Amino acid sequence: MEFACSHVVCNLRPDEAASTDVSVIEPMYDNAVAVKQQEVPPPLPPRRLRKPRPTSLPLPALPSSPFPPTPLSLPPPVPPRVDKLEGKNRLNANVNVVSLSIGKLVDISEASGMENFHSPVNCGKCSAALSCLSSIKRNVWVCEFCGHENSVNDSVKRVCVGQRTGVRSDDIYLPDQSDDDYQNLENTLVVFCVDISGSMSVTTEVTSSSGSLSYISRLEGIQDALQRALSSLLQQSPHRRVALVTFNDEVVIYGDGTGTPLTLRDWALVDYDHIWKQSVAYPIPHCIAETYDQLMQRVKELREHGATCLGPAALASVAMASRYPGSKVILCTDGRANIGLGEMALTPSLSSALTPYFYKQLAQQAVESGVIVSVMTFEGTDCRLAEVGRLADTTGGRVNTVSIGTVATEIQSASMDNVLATGVTATLLASDGVYFPYVDENNHNLVREIGNVTEGLEITFQFAVKPEFNKVFLQRNTLPFQLQLSFKTRDQQRVTRIITEQRPVTTSSRIWAGSLNMAVLGVHCAQLCASLTMEGRVQEAQRQLKAQQDLVKQISKQRPIQKEESIYGNWMDTMTTICDDITTESWSLSDEAAKVVYQMKRASRVSNNINSNTNKNQTKRTKKKKALMEGM
């Protein structure tokens, strides 16, 4: 767990539900984090005036002076009120943000010595686990998160005595034996689901290495990319299983290319259960070391024609991959689905109400089967990426738009993505009185179903303190936090990882800029605003972006903005451009805008792909702003 602020800011105003007033100030001394704000200025000392002389005696003559007379005594000047001065710089930005590097936490290969072969001891009320912050007196553990009294027997007390040391603990719990069979890490499936509709015949001018011009169709670009991907898999993962599925006005399942293809057409394209059963029952593909030549031949023989039954093809591909948890589907298309399940009308408002439900249902079924789906569309096309991209966004895959020149690289990268863990669930616990804006504003424990995890996945949450708990928390020195991460590793081993730590509490929301982690704040802003935009809450996303941009400006007055932090500023600018181009009359994202939003939802400090795309967006902002929205 990594926090954006070194302290928990707990003096929220009662009238704000999702943000806290933050006033960034310069520290008065090095180890200062917050300066206590005075409600009123100190009282003035009483005046000490000279005693009046007796009126019966004559007053001595005053010496003449060229200067005008001044009062005998003046009170000291009243210092300006700190709260009045800083009110102008007050910002609506919540700095109570925590980041979880899930991609690193599910990797237990380097966690030797942290394993425990017993179950954690959980609180009977809030399910918090006994940890280094727990205190047991007379076999009674008073939960530090909810205050519930739990009885602990002597055997558990002896087992847990080693954990109750320090202020941070990281424990991994492994079962004595697994209920699932061990799975070979290479025994997973890669399904290439390829569009061969008539629009794939569109050509693009390409300059060869010799300088001559030629025209290459989209299908020819896909064929070249698939052949490269197959060669790469053969060299690096010869035991990996690979299958091929194509679609136009029918779905053809080639499998590993050695058997008779299975064709789904007509009524079968609208029967969800029939497609799933037929695809699951198709013969299991062999490893690519045995089927490389047959697959290469199938790819070379592909020809473009017909419509685009994208939905049924995606369903068939996920069904095939579901037999091997940790498998992946790579979907390549250049047009919107116009036949079969998941069909989309030319105008978004006329599309069937069942269309979003179909892609949502399929994405959830893929997550439950441990399958990730990556979606790639060609630049300049209308594939309704905002809808189809949900498959990738939900399952943990990639969303991108490609060109003839980049499609090979993107397909190879997607084919090499490894699922590190499946069935991942993250539970974040805080003290009773803390809530999670935008997610759960009623409970102090947050449960997030993540599903599949690939390398580099990072998720963020913001939290806040309920107004009625402000005084209580201000009297405490620290607040506890605990992350419970349950998942299955690639070899189907069930693991529970529990990290517990405590954070100090600040008595004021006036924070020193040096205590803020701009990387955590930048990633969270990108993820939150992208999610709000996809949910149609554009105005709320704009408010969050404005608050974050104001915070960056205030911090820049305190210290220089680092190079990495400027990248997060570019992300905010990109999201601001997209939100500004969305109108309330017609909410619709172009494929280019949808790609950016989906990538922002999975923003990460280690995501070089997003960083490079953002830099390109920054240099071409003027041209891109006009092209982000189509049909607005």
Side-chain angles (χ1 to χ4, degrees), residues 331-540:
L331 175 63
C332 304
T333 184
D334 75 334
R336 59 181 175 83
N338 53 23
I339 185 175
L341 294 171
E343 176 185 359
M344 303 177 194
L346 185 61
T347 304
S349 58
L350 299 179
S351 295
S352 171
L354 297 178
T355 297
Y357 174 77
F358 166 76
Y359 291 108
K360 182 178 180 180
Q361 179 187 12
L362 179 56
Q364 187 58 40
Q365 199 159 3
V367 170
E368 295 172 356
S369 303
V371 176
I372 63 173
V373 181
S374 293
V375 178
M376 299 179 189
T377 65
F378 275 90
E379 295 177 349
T381 61
D382 180 16
C383 304
R384 297 287 168 77
L385 192 57
E387 291 292 342
V388 181
R390 296 183 190 275
L391 292 173
D393 181 56
T394 304
T395 61
R398 297 175 178 232
V399 179
N400 211 343
T401 56
V402 298
S403 64
I404 294 295
T406 62
V407 61
T409 302
E410 290 297 329
I411 288 182
Q412 287 190 56
S413 299
S415 64
M416 299 309 296
D417 282 342
N418 288 324
V419 179
L420 302 179
T422 59
V424 181
T425 301
T427 302
L428 184 61
L429 296 103
S431 294
D432 189 13
V434 173
Y435 68 99
F436 300 91
Y438 300 106
V439 184
D440 192 340
E441 300 191 1
N442 298 317
N443 299 313
H444 64 99
N445 55 343
L446 173 67
V447 180
R448 172 81 172 268
E449 299 289 343
I450 300 175
N452 305 318
V453 171
T454 54
E455 185 179 2
L457 177 63
E458 179 179 357
I459 61 176
T460 59
F461 301 102
Q462 62 173 279
F463 57 93
V465 178
K466 296 179 180 179
E468 60 269 26
F469 284 85
N470 284 336
K471 293 183 179 180
V472 177
F473 288 167
L474 288 176
Q475 296 174 357
R476 300 170 60 174
N477 293 327
T478 59
L479 291 181
F481 290 88
Q482 186 174 94
L483 171 65
Q484 299 179 4
L485 201 63
S486 61
F487 54 93
K488 275 187 177 182
T489 60
R490 292 177 62 192
D491 57 359
Q492 297 300 292
Q493 187 177 32
R494 295 184 181 272
V495 179
T496 299
R497 186 167 189 169
I498 299 178
I499 300 176
T500 310
E501 63 178 275
Q502 59 186 8
R503 309 295 295 184
V505 180
T506 179
T507 58
S508 172
S509 60
R510 296 163 49 211
I511 303 166
W512 174 37
S515 67
L516 296 178
N517 187 328
M518 288 306 299
V520 174
L521 290 174
V523 170
H524 174 68
C525 180
Q527 293 182 356
L528 174 61
C529 294
S531 298
L532 292 173
T533 301
M534 275 301 178
E535 295 171 7
R537 302 165 65 182
V538 180
Q539 293 182 348
E540 183 61 31

Side-chain angles (χ1 to χ4, degrees), residues 27-79:
M28 298 182 64
Y29 39 88
D30 291 341
N31 61 346
V33 175
V35 179
K36 188 171 183 179
Q37 180 177 335
Q38 296 176 339
E39 298 295 335
V40 295
L44 295 177
R47 286 191 177 187
R48 295 183 179 179
L49 300 177
R50 296 179 180 178
K51 294 182 180 181
R53 296 176 181 267
T55 55
S56 59
L57 297 176
L59 295 176
L62 296 175
S64 61
S65 174
F67 301 100
T70 57
L72 298 178
S73 176
L74 286 177
V78 180

Side-chain angles (χ1 to χ4, degrees), residues 172-329:
I172 295 178
Y173 296 89
L174 305 174
D176 294 332
Q177 56 183 5
S178 176
D179 297 332
D180 301 299
D181 295 333
Y182 174 83
Q183 178 176 322
N184 185 349
L185 301 184
E186 290 294 327
N187 197 21
T188 56
L189 181 61
V190 178
V191 181
F192 293 107
C193 184
V194 181
D195 184 353
I196 59 170
S197 62
S199 58
M200 292 292 286
S201 61
V202 175
T203 59
T204 302
E205 186 179 81
V206 177
T207 303
S208 64
S209 56
S210 61
S212 60
L213 296 179
S214 61
Y215 291 87
I216 298 178
S217 68
R218 293 170 183 167
L219 181 59
E220 291 173 335
I222 289 289
Q223 288 173 311
D224 176 68
L226 289 178
Q227 293 178 53
R228 295 187 188 186
L230 292 174
S231 299
S232 178
L233 287 170
L234 177 64
Q235 295 177 1
Q236 300 184 30
S237 304
H239 299 293
R240 187 73 55 88
R241 302 174 189 269
V242 180
L244 176 65
V245 175
T246 65
F247 61 94
N248 42 28
D249 48 13
E250 60 186 18
V251 177
V252 180
I253 302 176
Y254 291 98
D256 60 12
T258 61
T260 302
L262 171 65
T263 302
L264 302 172
R265 60 168 66 94
D266 300 329
W267 62 268
L269 299 179
V270 294
D271 192 330
Y272 193 104
D273 294 335
H274 176 75
I275 296 175
W276 184 273
K277 292 178 182 178
Q278 291 291 317
S279 303
V280 168
Y282 193 78
I284 299 175
H286 296 82
C287 63
I288 191 172
E290 302 175 6
T291 63
Y292 173 78
D293 293 332
Q294 291 86 345
L295 281 171
M296 291 288 283
Q297 186 62 32
R298 294 290 189 184
V299 170
K300 294 176 182 178
E301 294 174 352
L302 296 179
R303 296 294 181 268
E304 64 270 30
H305 68 280
T308 308
C309 58
L310 185 151
L315 173 59
S317 301
V318 170
M320 289 186 65
S322 66
R323 290 179 288 185
Y324 301 95
S327 297
K328 60 180 72 70
V329 173

